[in-house]
Amino acid sequence: MVKLDIEQWKIMAWMLAVYDAVALNAGYFLALLLRFDFQYSRIPADYLANWESYTPVYTVLSLLIFYGLRLYHSLWRFASFSELLRIIYGNLATILLMAVGMNFFVGNMPISYYIMGAAIQFGLVLGVRFAYRFILLLRVAQQDRRGEGSRVMLIGAGSAGQLIMRDIKRSVRTNEKVCCFIDDDPTKWNRLVDGVPIVGGRDEILASVEKYQIDKIYLTVPSASAAEKRDLLNICKETDCELKQLPGLYQLVNGQLSVSAMKKVSVEDLLGREPVKADLSDVFQFIHGKRVLVTGGGGSIGSELARQIAAHQPEQLILVDIYENNVYNVQLELRDRYPELDLVVLIASVRDSRRMFQIFEEYRPQIVYHAAAHKHVPLMEDSPCEAVKNNAIGTFKTAYAAMVHGCERFVLISTDKAVNPTNIMGATKRLCEMIIQSFDAKIKAGKANEIPQLFTHEGLENADADGTGKIFENVKTEFVAVRFGNVLGSNGSVIPIFQKQIAAGHNLTVTHPDIIRYFMTIPEAVSLVMLAGTYAKGGEIFVLDMGSPVKIADLAKNLIRLSGLKLGVDIDIDYTGLRPGEKLFEEKLMAEEGLKKTENDLIHIGCPIPFDTEEFLEELDELMVSAYKNKNDIRVRVKAMVSTYHPAENIS
């Protein structure tokens, strides 16, 4: 038995051609029968002879015409006006072929033969091709009568909304019915789109959901701004409907609009922030061909930095992290995506000055992004000396190694918790900012040699080993800090915690009903960090305008709704009280810092708060000793150095 390896559509095309061959001849034969009242015996013999003799020629030539018009290449379940036109052209051509060929080369036939034959042939050829669509329409109509399937509201009656509606109507896989449109354009109200009413603007959303018994709401306004989407979604989330939206305008441009292109609404969408749009060409030009080191390379920010840097041809990318698992995963990802990348992954602690000197001596990075830090507020409240060791002293040791090994730029990743800190984590991050400001001040004053070298194993990596001081003569490292708020999707973000609690069927835990935070996405944070590396002149603290803060309780409520659950019925929120060191809100700047503009309207520079650099550096040495001795008075020492630090609990 021979197996025919033919694609299914070709088989269907052959079957359709056989049908057409029958239909072409049946049409004109039926015309003869009609002409003589369906009495075969009354048909004159010469008419039958003419029909029989011309049939083979007419069939072959007609099929060639149909093939030339590509009537065997269309997907007839999606047949539209263009397919109808091609059928009309094909039938007109074959009608002309019948009239001319029969009269000039075969013999005369009755006038009614041509008229009725053409009509019957057209009906048979057209009918079989649009029958599938007709059956689908009947099925949809049946479902409408029975009330089956999900009932959908589309927000946006423009091109995108209409395309989504038509995709729903012709799809056999989605058991959905579009019941109404919402559009803010008053000129569209009370009009119909393919029989579906445009009921009004956003004020009609809640009433229409109840009136039409809506199950799903699709936001089909790809050109809407983030703030506009937020406002619409904030209304929609008051319903129990499933919410979806189009990812962006590019689907409309590329003709990719379909129900499958819709994505679920995320909590990030409800924040309504426009992403920071920055021209990163200068950043990537600065990175291209450079040796770049990222500390904390396995963390949320560090790993995204690594991805962005790897995509723009650095000479070498060095990732440093103390935790092997995360950075190993990043290593596998980057090697797979960028096989030509010169990637070095090292396990090291920024607290180990000998190890940091070894790394900087061997690899000589030109740019450093310092993301390594302890960031969890409650954990650091229980282990304050570790926060000092890792954040403050680790930053100092890394910065010192960078300075004496010819690094051009050192960018510190800071946090809004460094502003008027009430917890030790925030206070140590403020210490980090003061450290890089001290380095910058000393370097600009030509006194880099006066910066003390902190270590607990003195002498083994003394920068000025020969005692000549030459190593400090041409120091030009520029030190800057970047400060931003909470990062959505990061390891310490509240949203993954909420998602785990929902998955486990537990109530969500929020510390206080009024606690608020600023939020940004990881790509935005990384863009800001990288921009700081190009804007830097030394000593700046870059600050992102993160818009309005968001209530954590509102985030929890939104996430419950987006998970298809009802607050107070399926799940609840437990308020546990503020944790040690936690405050209700975070500031982006200390009041006395002020702001300067940069080339990007959403990125600002905080003017450094003056402090006694000499005194600070002396106290930092003493702070390191206390931290490594795990002294109980560590908070008192930190408070003496950071005047804006106000611990939320009693200091021992």
Side-chain angles (χ1 to χ4, degrees):
M1 181 179 179
V2 180
K3 183 179 178 181
L4 296 177
D5 186 17
I6 304 176
E7 296 179 36
Q8 186 177 357
W9 75 270
K10 291 182 179 179
I11 296 174
M12 296 299 295
W14 278 106
M15 292 174 64
L16 193 56
V18 171
Y19 169 83
D20 285 341
V22 174
L24 288 164
N25 296 290
Y28 285 96
F29 182 74
L30 286 172
L32 274 177
L33 283 175
L34 279 170
R35 170 65 178 80
F36 294 99
D37 301 324
F38 280 95
Q39 296 182 32
Y40 182 78
S41 60
R42 291 182 57 190
I43 302 175
D46 56 337
Y47 286 172
L48 283 174
N50 291 343
W51 176 80
E52 289 176 357
S53 62
Y54 191 53
T55 290
V57 177
Y58 177 67
T59 301
V60 172
L61 293 178
S62 296
L63 291 178
L64 288 174
I65 290 171
F66 283 4
Y67 182 81
L69 289 169
R70 303 182 69 81
L71 292 185
Y72 302 115
H73 294 77
S74 296
L75 289 171
W76 292 101
R77 59 172 293 191
F78 301 122
S80 62
F81 186 68
S82 63
E83 280 78 18
L84 176 61
L85 281 178
R86 283 189 278 129
I87 291 173
I88 292 172
Y89 294 150
N91 278 276
L92 287 174
T94 57
I95 290 167
L96 184 63
L97 178 66
M98 172 59 76
V100 173
M102 183 66 79
N103 279 291
F104 284 93
F105 299 103
V106 181
N108 293 327
M109 297 291 278
I111 297 297
S112 59
Y113 169 82
Y114 299 108
I115 297 173
M116 288 188 292
I120 295 171
Q121 173 189 299
F122 180 73
L124 291 173
V125 172
L126 178 69
V128 73
R129 285 167 167 79
F130 280 82
Y132 187 58
R133 288 215 62 186
F134 180 69
I135 292 169
L136 287 180
L137 289 173
L138 285 178
R139 180 182 172 187
V140 171
Q142 262 188 335
Q143 289 176 349
D144 289 349
R145 286 196 296 271
R146 294 175 187 172
E148 296 177 356
S150 300
R151 301 174 67 82
V152 178
M153 170 190 286
L154 298 181
I155 298 180
S159 300
Q162 293 176 39
L163 288 171
I164 291 296
M165 180 194 65
R166 286 164 189 157
D167 186 61
I168 290 173
K169 282 190 171 183
R170 69 190 178 205
S171 176
V172 294
R173 295 180 181 175
T174 57
N175 192 18
E176 298 176 345
K177 175 192 174 184
V178 179
C179 297
C180 64
F181 278 97
I182 294 289
D183 199 291
D184 284 336
D185 183 357
T187 62
K188 297 179 181 178
W189 296 352
N190 301 316
R191 299 172 71 180
L192 300 175
V193 179
D194 283 359
V196 178
I198 304 173
V199 296
R202 66 184 66 188
D203 294 339
E204 297 296 322
I205 291 176
L206 298 180
S208 298
V209 165
E210 185 174 350
K211 177 180 177 180
Y212 292 95
Q213 299 179 326
I214 299 299
D215 304 305
K216 299 180 180 180
I217 299 177
Y218 291 168
L219 181 60
T220 58
V221 192
S223 60
S225 67
E228 290 170 337
K229 287 183 181 179
R230 176 201 60 202
D231 294 341
L232 287 167
L233 292 172
N234 279 332
I235 298 172
C236 296
K237 70 182 176 62
E238 298 303 321
T239 72
D240 295 326
C241 300
E242 179 183 346
L243 304 181
K244 286 188 176 182
Q245 65 171 334
L246 287 172
L249 189 60
Y250 71 92
Q251 274 94 355
L252 182 60
V253 176
N254 294 338
Q256 299 173 356
L257 286 183
S258 65
V259 179
S260 60
M262 306 292 288
K263 72 180 184 72
K264 287 190 174 182
V265 173
S266 64
V267 177
E268 290 91 328
D269 297 316
L270 296 173
L271 296 180
R273 288 186 61 253
E274 290 287 357
V276 175
K277 296 177 181 177
D279 182 3
L280 297 179
S281 56
D282 291 340
V283 174
F284 299 134
Q285 186 177 358
F286 176 65
I287 289 171
H288 182 81
K290 298 284 181 66
R291 297 180 301 279
V292 185
L293 184 146
V294 179
T295 68
S300 304
I301 297 297
S303 61
E304 182 63 22
L305 274 166
R307 294 182 190 99
Q308 295 279 352
I309 294 166
H312 293 85
Q313 295 84 46
E315 178 185 330
Q316 187 177 57
L317 175 59
I318 308 111
L319 303 183
V320 175
D321 205 302
I322 189 62
Y323 182 53
E324 62 186 77
N325 291 356
N326 284 352
V327 78
Y328 176 66
N329 291 333
V330 177
Q331 180 186 47
L332 292 178
E333 176 189 340
L334 294 182
R335 283 184 174 171
D336 181 58
R337 291 175 62 184
Y338 307 102
E340 303 301 319
L341 174 68
D342 184 356
L343 176 66
V344 178
V345 177
L346 303 171
I347 301 301
S349 171
V350 294
R351 295 157 56 165
D352 186 344
S353 55
R354 286 179 294 188
R355 177 64 169 145
M356 297 313 294
F357 259 63
Q358 181 187 45
I359 291 172
F360 276 86
E361 178 68 31
E362 181 173 355
Y363 296 101
R364 298 280 173 170
Q366 296 159 283
I367 306 168
V368 173
Y369 294 102
H370 183 54
H374 286 327
K375 303 179 181 72
H376 291 270
V377 170
L379 290 179
M380 292 305 99
E381 286 302 294
D382 294 333
S383 305
C385 289
E386 296 307 306
V388 171
K389 294 175 194 174
N390 200 65
N391 294 356
I393 307 306
T395 294
F396 191 100
K397 290 180 176 181
T398 307
Y400 197 94
M403 178 187 72
V404 297
H405 288 94
C407 179
E408 298 173 15
R409 299 277 173 86
F410 186 100
V411 183
L412 166 73
I413 313 301
S414 189
T415 169
D416 55 1
K417 292 177 177 61
V419 182
N420 296 321
T422 57
N423 54 72
I424 194 67
M425 192 283 285
T428 56
K429 293 301 285 186
R430 176 58 190 153
L431 283 173
C432 294
E433 294 178 353
M434 296 170 74
I435 287 167
I436 66 105
Q437 289 175 325
S438 298
F439 272 72
D440 177 74
K442 286 291 186 182
I443 290 170
K444 286 179 177 176
K447 299 178 180 179
N449 61 309
E450 295 182 4
I451 301 175
Q453 187 173 355
L454 303 184
F455 36 68
T456 53
H457 33 260
E458 195 167 336
L460 294 179
E461 71 296 330
N462 188 356
D464 189 23
D466 59 8
T468 63
K470 288 183 179 180
I471 197 168
F472 302 111
E473 290 179 358
N474 295 308
V475 172
K476 296 179 181 178
T477 310
E478 294 172 326
F479 289 90
V480 297
V482 187
R483 185 190 292 164
F484 46 78
N486 298 274
V487 180
L488 290 168
S490 68
N491 294 330
S493 173
V494 69
I495 291 176
I497 296 173
F498 286 161
Q499 289 171 331
K500 289 178 182 178
Q501 290 174 333
I502 289 173
H506 299 156
N507 287 346
L508 303 193
T509 54
V510 178
T511 57
H512 193 282
D514 296 322
I515 191 168
I516 61 174
R517 290 292 181 266
Y518 292 97
F519 283 95
M520 64 188 308
T521 65
I522 291 176
E524 286 178 307
V526 168
S527 295
L528 178 63
V529 170
M530 298 176 77
L531 278 170
T534 56
Y535 291 168
K537 293 181 174 60
E540 302 97 334
I541 297 176
F542 289 88
V543 183
L544 174 66
D545 181 356
M546 293 178 287
S548 301
V550 178
K551 276 191 175 184
I552 301 299
D554 289 343
L555 276 181
K557 293 173 185 176
N558 290 337
L559 196 57
I560 289 171
R561 292 190 184 98
L562 294 177
S563 301
L565 303 174
K566 291 185 179 180
L567 179 64
V569 177
D570 304 309
I571 198 169
D572 217 330
I573 296 176
D574 294 332
Y575 295 102
T576 59
L578 291 175
R579 298 171 296 184
E582 190 173 42
K583 53 185 177 179
L584 285 177
F585 63 95
E586 308 286 0
E587 303 101 323
K588 290 177 289 184
L589 280 169
M590 283 169 264
E592 61 268 32
E593 279 183 314
L595 285 175
K596 291 181 181 178
K597 287 188 176 183
T598 67
E599 298 170 21
N600 190 302
D601 292 337
L602 295 178
I603 301 173
H604 307 279
I605 301 174
C607 300
I609 299 174
F611 59 93
D612 190 324
T613 302
E614 302 290 342
E615 183 181 346
F616 172 76
L617 292 174
E618 289 177 6
E619 291 175 339
L620 194 64
D621 195 356
E622 298 172 5
L623 180 68
M624 180 189 68
V625 174
S626 294
Y628 275 91
K629 289 182 179 180
N630 296 305
K631 294 283 188 177
N632 292 328
D633 65 344
I634 195 71
R635 286 187 176 86
V636 176
R637 290 186 175 275
V638 171
K639 190 177 187 309
M641 299 174 67
V642 181
S643 60
T644 55
Y645 174 38
H646 302 288
E649 59 182 3
N650 293 330
I651 300 175
S652 58

